[in-house]
Amino acid sequence: MDIAAILAFWALAAWAFFGPNGGRLIHAFFVSLPFGSFAVLSPGVTGGLTLTPTPMVALLILLRCLVRRGGLDALLTEALARRRMLLLFLFWVVAALITAFMPRVMAGRVDIIPFRGEMLGATPLRPTAQNVSQFAYLTISVFVAFAFAVLLRAPGMRQCALRALNLGALATVITGALDFASTWLPLTPLLDPFRTATYALLVTHEVLGAKRVVGLMPEASAFGSLAVGLLAMLWFFRRAIADRRLREVHAPVLMILLAVLVWRSTSTTAYVALGLLGLLAALEWCWRALAARRGAGPGDENRPTYLLKRGDWLKPGNEVSAGVPAFLHPLPPGAEVSRLTFARWLVDRRSPTTARALVNRVWLQYFGAGLVETPEDLGTQSPAPSHPALLDWLAVEFMEPTVALPGESRAGPWSWKHLHRLIVHSATYRRSSRVTPDLLARDPSNRLLARGPRVRVEGEV
């Protein structure tokens, strides 16, 4: 049965490794987290060293990143760039030096008390193979962080990681529930093939007559810490999940179940972490409530802004404040200076430039040239509109529709569909694009719109 579990793991790992874009590997990484007492290689092969699923999947992720085109350069950029993960790389260098020299420097000078389920006698500190194994695990953790930074650059991969996070939380809930149910049901034969680690496994301990939930981790504190970590990630990353059902239904249910499992683990460490998480969650809720009352979103707090000398952010000049150009209409009196207020100012009835610019860009897609030749510049230095009255009318109709088109219900303000239908139903757009010598001589660029357009409209318009 142990061999079957090991073969199943490596079959799934191979399937994930050869999947597209590394998405399967990210799912495998999060799902492997609750299997902390499962040796994926026989301890007889590794000399007694336990290799669990998570570091093995992490190595596959690192390998997948390295075999990509430019993968090594991307990893080195993440590790050595000052504004990226240089501090983490320097931490790894310090850890390597400490692992190589400190056990030998402190050998025989410090006594340690090993714990293997019970307190053992004090023994002098000395270099052991465990120093190397722990440094190997640390190295895998650090370098897989670089690999994750490379893989998650794309927004699609970040959404994949968020889905994988929910799947990992579900796997943790299932393993914890099975372990808890094993008190009354004969589930031990089902769990034992995944408890093959050579280190001490404290899976039968009880507190006040109740079994401590350990899932498939070595002991209760490890399981409780894992559950708190997943709970924290779900709480703080939940707003970034694009799938509404996953964000508003599945993630909250998983968070509640993880909190229950933390309670059943009876781990003091997990209890303290859960209390700190609750405090941070309360602070976040208060912060968001305050920001919403002010009419701003998180991150809109008024921080000092400076005029940068020659654009160098290291050389701030005079402090500047938020506002709008003085020659345009002002912000509403007494309104909070925020992005929401600015957005409302942009679409105000007294700001026709916004509607003019949008209408001009749509017209450009249909006719090959805008009513203003420079769609990126509608200022005083730009060419004058070829049909200023038409541009103004389209802008007003875009903001406040009044024309009823065939097959269209009453359109609302700023309706893109109404604007597109208005243009394609017009006689100007439906004119023949055939050119006569007289028209070509009088209007070679068709600025007077005497003939229909000869451009192909893109599907994304």
Side-chain angles (χ1 to χ4, degrees):
M1 184 64 179
D2 295 349
I3 297 299
I6 293 175
L7 292 178
F9 166 77
W10 285 110
L12 291 174
W15 174 75
F17 181 80
F18 293 104
N21 303 324
R24 293 178 186 172
L25 278 175
I26 295 177
H27 281 78
F29 177 83
F30 281 97
V31 172
S32 69
L33 289 175
F35 293 85
S37 60
F38 176 40
V40 296
L41 290 176
S42 174
V45 176
T46 60
L49 180 65
T50 296
L51 297 176
T52 55
T54 303
M56 293 297 99
V57 176
L59 282 176
L60 292 177
I61 291 176
L62 184 59
L63 179 61
R64 177 62 185 261
C65 191
L66 286 174
V67 299
R68 294 175 57 184
R69 179 180 297 179
L72 180 59
D73 292 339
L75 283 176
L76 292 176
T77 299
E78 292 292 339
L80 302 178
R82 181 169 59 90
R83 295 187 179 182
R84 293 184 180 270
M85 307 183 77
L86 178 60
L87 290 178
L88 182 60
F89 178 74
L90 294 177
F91 165 77
W92 175 80
V93 172
V94 172
L97 295 175
I98 292 176
T99 303
F101 298 107
M102 290 305 293
R104 292 168 176 79
V105 171
M106 303 301 293
R109 300 183 182 182
V110 178
D111 289 339
I112 60 173
I113 302 177
F115 179 76
R116 297 291 185 269
E118 59 182 5
M119 301 295 292
L120 303 178
T123 59
L125 176 67
R126 67 181 186 279
T128 63
Q130 190 176 11
N131 301 130
V132 179
S133 64
Q134 293 299 322
F135 178 70
Y137 279 126
L138 175 64
T139 301
I140 293 173
S141 301
V142 170
F143 280 85
V144 81
F146 301 150
F148 264 102
V150 173
L151 291 176
L152 299 186
R153 288 176 178 175
M157 292 300 293
R158 291 196 287 271
Q159 289 299 318
C160 175
L162 291 172
R163 292 191 296 271
L165 172 61
N166 282 267
L167 189 59
L170 178 61
T172 303
V173 169
I174 292 175
T175 56
L178 289 176
D179 178 60
F180 181 67
S182 65
T183 306
W184 305 280
L185 301 176
L187 299 176
T188 302
L190 177 65
L191 302 177
D192 282 346
F194 301 99
R195 290 172 172 165
T196 54
T198 56
Y199 40 73
L201 300 178
L202 310 178
V203 298
T204 58
H205 282 204
E206 296 182 357
V207 173
L208 298 178
K211 183 184 182 302
R212 305 181 72 185
V213 175
V214 300
L216 293 177
M217 299 297 287
E219 43 89 23
S221 64
F223 180 81
S225 300
L226 172 64
V228 170
L230 291 171
L231 175 58
M233 286 190 286
L234 283 175
W235 174 264
F236 290 111
F237 293 155
R238 71 192 188 285
R239 298 179 186 275
I241 301 175
D243 189 328
R244 182 177 179 181
R245 184 175 181 82
L246 189 62
R247 180 180 67 251
E248 298 181 359
V249 180
H250 296 168
V253 171
L254 288 173
M255 286 189 284
I256 293 173
L257 294 176
L258 286 171
V260 172
L261 290 175
V262 171
W263 169 59
R264 294 301 306 173
S265 72
T266 65
S267 168
T268 306
T269 304
Y271 285 172
V272 173
L274 187 61
L276 291 175
L277 174 59
L279 178 61
L280 291 175
L283 291 175
E284 184 207 22
W285 183 85
C286 294
W287 173 47
R288 290 184 180 276
L290 180 61
R293 179 173 297 182
R294 293 171 48 199
D300 281 342
E301 63 274 4
N302 295 326
R303 60 170 182 255
T305 304
Y306 301 93
L307 185 67
L308 304 180
K309 297 179 180 179
R310 301 181 65 85
D312 188 351
W313 64 275
L314 293 175
K315 298 178 181 178
N318 298 329
E319 184 174 349
V320 295
S321 58
V324 296
F327 63 89
L328 297 175
H329 68 279
L331 294 172
E336 181 73 25
V337 180
S338 65
R339 289 187 296 176
L340 179 60
T341 302
F342 180 62
R344 290 170 175 167
W345 178 86
L346 278 177
V347 296
D348 189 89
R349 185 68 171 77
R350 294 174 294 171
S351 297
T353 305
T354 305
R356 284 196 184 103
L358 295 175
V359 164
N360 190 62
R361 287 181 177 273
V362 174
W363 189 274
L364 168 67
Q365 299 297 324
Y366 280 106
F367 290 90
L371 295 171
V372 179
E373 294 181 11
T374 54
E376 72 284 352
D377 181 10
L378 270 68
T380 58
Q381 301 299 317
S382 65
S386 59
H387 299 73
L390 175 60
L391 179 62
D392 290 345
W393 182 82
L394 284 174
V396 173
E397 181 66 21
F398 184 40
M399 291 188 292
E400 299 175 355
T402 57
V403 177
L405 297 173
E408 181 186 52
S409 58
R410 182 171 179 81
W414 301 88
S415 171
W416 288 103
K417 183 179 293 187
H418 177 73
L419 177 62
H420 286 288
R421 284 180 170 177
L422 193 65
I423 293 177
V424 298
H425 279 82
S426 66
T428 303
Y429 181 75
R430 291 185 292 177
R431 283 177 179 169
S432 171
S433 60
R434 186 172 301 171
V435 184
T436 64
D438 181 51
L439 288 178
L440 187 62
R442 297 176 57 185
D443 186 16
S445 301
N446 196 31
R447 296 297 294 159
L448 301 179
L449 304 174
R451 57 184 183 272
R454 305 188 67 179
V455 298
R456 184 184 297 273
V457 180
E458 297 181 358
E460 290 79 11
V461 173

